[in-house]
């Protein structure tokens, strides 16, 4: 009889903590404040970032082109982008001016940057060169 009680006690000593842990885990997952993850809770870093406007993306790309190559390549890219997507036309002057400013920054002189001027978006590139120089 004594051995039987000892055997039952050992069995309970092993099984009881396992049962308590499992029941506690299950109880916590079933409370009303634990909800299934919704789409609003699963935001990724890219979703949290604000999306850039197409003209801002184009400006960044063309300034990078200007820095890696020359202003002529960037102005050609601007003209091609405006021809391909006419909705960028209202932003053309602002982009060309930003390219003029970036050209002065690259070359260090307005005179050297002005050598690359072309009639893209009227005289906005030249205005950017003049503003930065």
């Amino acid at each position: 009889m004594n051995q039987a009680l000892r055997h039952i006690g050992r069995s309970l000593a092993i099984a009881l903590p396992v049962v308590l842990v499992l029941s506690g885990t299950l109880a916590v997952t079933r409370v009303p404040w634990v909800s299934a993850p919704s789409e609003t809770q699963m935001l990724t870093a890219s979703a949290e970032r604000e999306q850039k406007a197409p003209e801002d993306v184009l400006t960044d790309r063309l300034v990078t082109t200007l820095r890696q190559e020359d202003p002529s390549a960037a102005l050609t890219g601007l003209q091609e982008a405006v021809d391909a997507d006419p909705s960028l036309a209202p932003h053309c002057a602002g982009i060309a001016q930003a390219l003029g400013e970036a050209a002065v920054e690259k070359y260090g002189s307005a005179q050297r940057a002005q050598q690359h001027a072309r009639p893209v978006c009227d005289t906005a590139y030249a205005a950017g060169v003049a503003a930065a120089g």
Side-chain angles (χ1 to χ4, degrees), residues 99-122:
L99 292 175
E101 293 169 1
V104 171
E105 183 182 312
K106 177 181 179 176
Y107 293 119
S109 87
Q111 198 170 31
R112 189 154 176 224
Q114 190 61 36
Q115 292 174 350
H116 295 277
R118 296 202 346 244
V120 176
C121 304
D122 294 327

Side-chain angles (χ1 to χ4, degrees), residues 3-123:
Q3 269 189 335
L5 288 175
R6 207 177 278 176
H7 183 66
I8 292 172
R10 284 185 186 165
S11 297
L12 282 176
I14 292 172
L16 192 59
V18 172
V19 169
L20 288 175
V21 167
L22 289 177
S23 65
T25 303
L26 292 174
V28 170
T29 60
R30 296 192 183 270
V31 293
W33 49 266
V34 175
S35 61
S38 67
E39 292 214 12
T40 57
Q41 291 174 335
M42 291 188 200
L43 293 178
T44 62
S46 63
E48 290 176 356
R49 285 188 298 188
E50 205 173 298
Q51 295 292 328
K52 283 188 162 186
E55 62 270 11
D56 295 336
V57 172
L58 179 62
T59 302
D60 293 345
R61 183 171 56 86
L62 293 175
V63 167
T64 301
T65 300
L66 184 144
R67 289 181 180 144
Q68 292 174 349
E69 297 175 34
D70 64 1
S72 297
L75 288 169
T76 300
L78 175 59
Q79 187 64 53
E80 290 171 352
V82 170
D83 290 344
D85 185 3
S87 68
L88 293 171
H91 308 284
C92 185
I95 296 170
Q97 187 168 359
L99 292 175
E101 293 169 1
V104 171
E105 183 182 312
K106 177 181 179 176
Y107 293 119
S109 87
Q111 198 170 31
R112 189 154 176 224
Q114 190 61 36
Q115 292 174 350
H116 295 277
R118 296 202 346 244
V120 176
C121 304
D122 294 327
T123 57

